Amino acid sequence: MKGGKLLEGESLFNDASGLVLFRFAIAAVATGSFSAVAGLESFILLAVGGLVVGGAIGAIWVLLVRRLGDDYLMIASSMLVPWSAYLLGEAFHVSGVIATVAAGLICGWYQHIVWSASVRMRGTAFWAVMIFLMEATVFMLIGSSLRGVVDRVGGFAVVLDNMAVPVLLILLALTAARFVWVFGSDAIILLLRAMGLRRYSPIGPRGATVLGWAGMRGVVTLAVALSVPEGFPGRDFLLVAAFGVILGTVLIQGTTLGLLIRWAGLSDPIHDRPRLSMSDAEAAIAKVQAVRVEQLAYDAAGELIHPQLLERYQRRAVLSKNYAGQEEQFADRLHAHFDLVLEAIAAGRAELLRLHRAGDIDEHVLQELERDLDLEELTAWSMKS
């Protein structure tokens, strides 16, 4: 899990760095001149400045978000953070993209601390819809842009005749370059291990093949193509190439990646595997909760004042401990248990709606009890799966 989060963060910064470098390339073509030294200095300034601005925005959000005191304001603030980071970064003439990534990583890391459970549930649902809408919008933009390309060049047949082969060559070059990079990186690791530096382990030919094939392109490629200014030489071809690369990598590599992974028979390296399984982590949490409830279940005179809670948490700790490592043995009984729980929730939901339709409860009671049933249902489905 830790390795996955590191890879996600690395991927975000790679995309951000690529967008900055692409802007340099556009500027070089537009001006007809480019200095490697000046370009490197500018890139460092843009990247470091973006990190500073994004880090500051993220830190301010972490410090102030709790003071808002309202779930919806807190969720709205999470939407304003990336816009603020980008606009402020551009205002200071540093990379707004890298500033946005830095702020997003900080907010994502600390949202587990500064957000309450209700804010997190609502925020997760909100951002799931927002991400879907934004990604769909990008694809609609590229579709409308391609329509303009087709009209300008004289029809779809002309696009195929003049651009299909170059786009195919670009797709092949991208795929080959990724394989060269992945296998080359693995070779460097082997060389370093031969020299006595054994901090990293090579992933091997099968792993490198899978990693090299997992080079699907998506929204970032579209965003780069759409960022090219109108009237730029070759813009129409860039749009077609971006769409062709995305289509090719998603349809070819994306649909065959699962088969390749099964062929490779890969497994996580021991040092990359989490020390605890989900059931082990649940057992650890249940144990700590039972200890804490036991500490507070008695009053100052030593009299037990929360017997039901104490019994509940102690029983849960024992069951979690027994279940950890024995998941297959308890699978059938667990599924049957939560199937019954889901049936009970469905019956309760039907009764809740009947009470509301009959006018026995108002809208507020409906929403509160429906939320409780929703949480119970989500928990049941989570435990069942």
Side-chain angles (χ1 to χ4, degrees):
M1 183 64 70
K2 180 180 178 181
K5 291 298 183 184
L6 289 174
L7 285 176
E8 289 176 5
E10 180 187 9
S11 176
L12 288 172
F13 276 112
N14 285 343
D15 290 341
S17 301
L19 290 171
V20 174
L21 293 174
F22 183 77
R23 194 163 78 177
F24 282 178
I26 293 294
V29 172
T31 60
S33 62
F34 178 73
S35 170
V37 175
L40 180 60
E41 292 176 351
S42 298
F43 177 78
I44 293 175
L45 177 62
L46 289 171
V48 174
L51 288 174
V52 172
V53 171
I57 293 293
I60 292 171
W61 180 84
V62 170
L63 292 173
L64 298 181
V65 65
R66 281 180 172 175
R67 298 179 180 272
L68 295 175
D70 180 85
D71 288 4
Y72 299 108
L73 288 177
M74 295 171 78
I75 295 170
S77 72
S78 70
M79 186 177 181
L80 294 176
V81 164
W83 290 100
S84 302
Y86 181 84
L87 294 175
L88 192 62
E90 293 296 316
F92 281 103
H93 304 292
V94 297
S95 174
V97 176
I98 292 180
T100 302
V101 171
L105 288 175
I106 292 174
C107 294
W109 183 264
Y110 283 99
Q111 59 97 2
H112 305 285
I113 300 172
V114 299
W115 273 3
S116 65
S118 63
V119 175
R120 195 156 40 250
M121 286 189 62
R122 290 169 173 167
T124 300
F126 168 81
W127 275 109
V129 175
M130 285 298 300
I131 290 171
F132 172 78
L133 291 176
M134 286 188 279
E135 289 180 344
T137 300
V138 173
F139 279 93
M140 286 189 289
L141 287 173
I142 193 68
S144 62
S145 299
L146 285 174
R147 177 63 181 270
V149 173
V150 172
D151 292 340
R152 283 192 296 273
V153 301
F156 187 70
V158 177
V159 173
L160 288 179
D161 291 340
N162 297 338
M163 300 183 183
V165 173
V167 170
L168 179 60
L169 292 176
I170 290 173
L171 178 59
L172 294 175
L174 285 172
T175 304
R178 183 174 177 86
F179 273 98
V180 170
W181 180 266
V182 171
F183 276 89
S185 300
D186 219 35
I188 292 175
I189 292 175
L190 284 171
L191 179 62
L192 292 175
R193 289 179 67 85
M195 297 170 58
L197 302 175
R198 300 182 177 274
R199 180 178 179 181
Y200 301 103
S201 299
I203 59 177
R206 289 175 178 258
T209 300
V210 171
L211 188 59
W213 193 245
M216 284 76 74
R217 314 287 167 162
V219 173
V220 174
T221 303
L222 290 176
V224 168
L226 290 171
S227 69
V228 177
E230 293 282 349
F232 189 83
R235 185 177 189 271
D236 289 346
F237 177 72
L238 287 174
L239 291 172
V240 174
F243 183 79
V245 166
I246 294 170
L247 186 66
T249 55
V250 171
L251 290 183
I252 299 173
Q253 293 170 244
T255 56
T256 58
L257 184 59
L259 295 174
L260 188 63
I261 292 174
R262 286 192 289 272
W263 164 81
L266 300 178
S267 60
D268 292 334
I270 295 177
H271 57 78
D272 284 345
R273 296 175 185 172
R275 291 187 295 273
L276 298 177
S277 66
M278 181 178 292
S279 57
D280 290 328
E282 288 173 342
I285 293 171
K287 179 181 178 181
V288 171
Q289 288 178 321
V291 170
R292 184 57 176 165
V293 170
E294 186 174 359
Q295 292 172 347
L296 301 176
Y298 299 87
D299 61 14
E303 181 182 354
L304 181 61
I305 55 176
H306 298 295
Q308 292 179 334
L309 276 177
L310 180 59
E311 180 184 1
R312 171 188 168 189
Y313 277 93
Q314 287 179 337
R315 183 170 180 270
R316 181 182 175 187
V318 172
L319 291 175
S320 298
K321 180 180 179 180
N322 293 336
Y323 176 73
Q326 305 291 329
E327 292 85 355
E328 294 296 330
Q329 178 181 344
F330 291 98
D332 292 338
R333 280 186 286 173
L334 189 68
H335 286 180
H337 171 84
F338 285 106
D339 283 340
L340 181 55
V341 171
L342 290 170
E343 289 291 337
I345 294 171
R349 194 184 304 278
E351 176 64 11
L352 177 64
L353 291 176
R354 188 194 68 79
L355 293 173
H356 179 259
R357 301 297 186 264
D360 294 332
I361 58 175
D362 60 18
E363 190 72 21
H364 175 73
V365 174
L366 170 67
Q367 292 177 358
E368 289 296 318
L369 294 181
E370 187 177 42
R371 184 187 62 181
D372 293 342
L373 289 172
D374 288 343
L375 291 172
E376 191 176 353
E377 182 176 345
L378 288 173
T379 302
W381 276 113
S382 176
M383 296 298 296
K384 183 180 177 181
S385 60

